[in-house]
Amino acid sequence: MALVRLDKLIADSGLASRREAKDLIKKGKVRVDNFIAPNGEIKVDPDVSEIFINGEKIDYKCNRYIMMNKPNGVLSATEDAGQETVIDLLPESLRKQELFPVGRLDKDTTGLLLITNDGSFSHSIITPKRHVPKVYRAAVTGILDESDIRAFEEGITLSDGTKCMSAHLSIERPSVGLATVYEGKYHQVKRMFASRGKHVTALHRLSIGGLSLDEKLKPGEFRELTEEEINKIFE
Ligand code: URA
């Protein structure tokens, strides 16, 4: 992970305030690997270095923000008795950090999935109150037309009577649409198309807010988000 200031890292771990951390360092009580830390400004990588306070190793847990190109056939869940989950695709060092997917993509949906251990970050993306747009490319049976675009705009009513918020549909090819939705009801995009008499044959998420899937990521690959990318989500 990125380098972090030592005093911030200690404070983030919840063991001391920033001021107390600086104090501990000044008193020579903090060791980074085999060296007594000279000051709180030094930058350390907690994935690489071990940090000790009074000889005790600290268990540093920082917030993680990961983008994955979710592959087909994998569950958006933290664990499952029989099936592979997106968390299983991460290395052990990350799996230890209580990560979970932000919302769910269906097992057969591919594309941009965010994974984090920051509950409030996750909530602010999922809540319909924030109106964070999610864009999906959907291949469907049948031919899309202007009446589908209007129906999405007006707000689709699903087969069980649930009313969806206004959404945007643009037609990329006769049977391929780009759907932008601002909420995340169960199987929402598939059910919206179903209400128009179209069955979704493939669904791929392209973006969340201002953040697009990194096209360099192959299915199953992931990487950490930069701070700039995290902010972009809410732009
Ligand atoms: N809508 C769906 O129907 N499925 C998904 O995986 C995501 C949105």
Side-chain angles (χ1 to χ4, degrees):
M1 76 167 279
L3 294 172
V4 190
R5 267 179 70 128
L6 180 61
D7 51 8
K8 177 172 172 8
L9 190 151
I10 293 171
D12 287 352
S13 70
L15 293 170
S17 68
R18 190 88 171 240
R19 183 189 289 260
E20 287 164 346
K22 280 189 204 307
D23 227 46
L24 286 164
I25 295 165
K26 216 159 150 189
K27 289 183 179 148
K29 309 264 187 206
V30 179
R31 190 153 59 78
V32 178
D33 298 322
N34 293 322
F35 301 95
I36 301 291
N39 59 61
E41 286 155 38
I42 61 164
K43 299 220 167 146
V44 290
D45 182 342
D47 281 346
V48 176
S49 293
E50 292 185 324
I51 293 124
F52 302 83
I53 300 178
N54 290 324
E56 270 198 45
K57 190 171 155 213
I58 69 170
D59 184 15
Y60 178 65
K61 177 178 164 291
C62 61
N63 286 333
R64 297 280 187 175
Y65 305 94
I66 291 167
M67 84 152 69
M68 176 182 280
N69 182 357
K70 181 193 168 296
N72 192 354
V74 175
L75 292 185
S76 297
T78 50
E79 56 186 3
D80 188 82
Q83 301 187 65
E84 191 173 40
T85 74
V86 290
I87 303 299
D88 294 332
L89 301 178
L90 302 174
E92 201 191 331
S93 60
L94 285 175
R95 286 205 304 274
K96 279 194 259 168
Q97 301 202 28
E98 295 166 27
L99 296 165
F100 56 88
V102 175
R104 278 169 191 260
L105 290 179
D106 298 334
K107 187 175 169 185
D108 60 356
T109 300
T110 57
L112 178 58
L113 180 70
L114 297 175
I115 295 173
T116 188
N117 52 6
D118 181 347
S120 64
F121 168 76
S122 172
H123 180 259
S124 46
I125 292 173
I126 293 170
T127 177
K129 286 190 196 131
R130 288 288 290 258
H131 287 207
V132 177
K134 287 111 189 161
V135 180
Y136 296 84
R137 177 178 287 121
V140 299
T141 55
I143 304 293
L144 295 165
D145 62 25
E146 286 295 320
S147 69
D148 297 314
I149 295 177
R150 276 197 303 278
F152 270 56
E153 206 72 55
E154 279 161 19
I156 297 267
T157 301
L158 303 176
S159 58
D160 62 359
T162 307
K163 175 93 178 150
C164 296
M165 288 165 69
S166 173
H168 182 75
L169 176 66
S170 64
I171 301 174
E172 233 185 25
R173 296 201 294 279
S175 294
V176 179
L178 290 185
T180 306
V181 298
Y182 299 87
E183 52 189 342
K185 299 186 195 305
Y186 183 62
H187 294 326
Q188 179 161 350
V189 175
K190 291 176 183 166
R191 291 161 77 207
M192 285 167 74
F193 280 107
S195 85
R196 302 294 306 158
K198 275 123 190 155
H199 174 69
V200 172
T201 55
L203 191 61
H204 181 78
R205 184 155 65 190
L206 296 164
S207 64
I208 298 176
L211 176 73
S212 297
L213 177 64
D214 180 345
E215 287 180 1
K216 289 199 280 298
L217 292 177
K218 300 195 186 85
E221 288 185 344
F222 60 89
R223 67 165 172 81
E224 299 222 27
L225 295 179
T226 63
E227 210 160 313
E228 199 184 338
E229 286 175 324
I230 294 168
N231 294 330
K232 251 172 136 178
I233 296 172
F234 302 103
E235 270 169 14

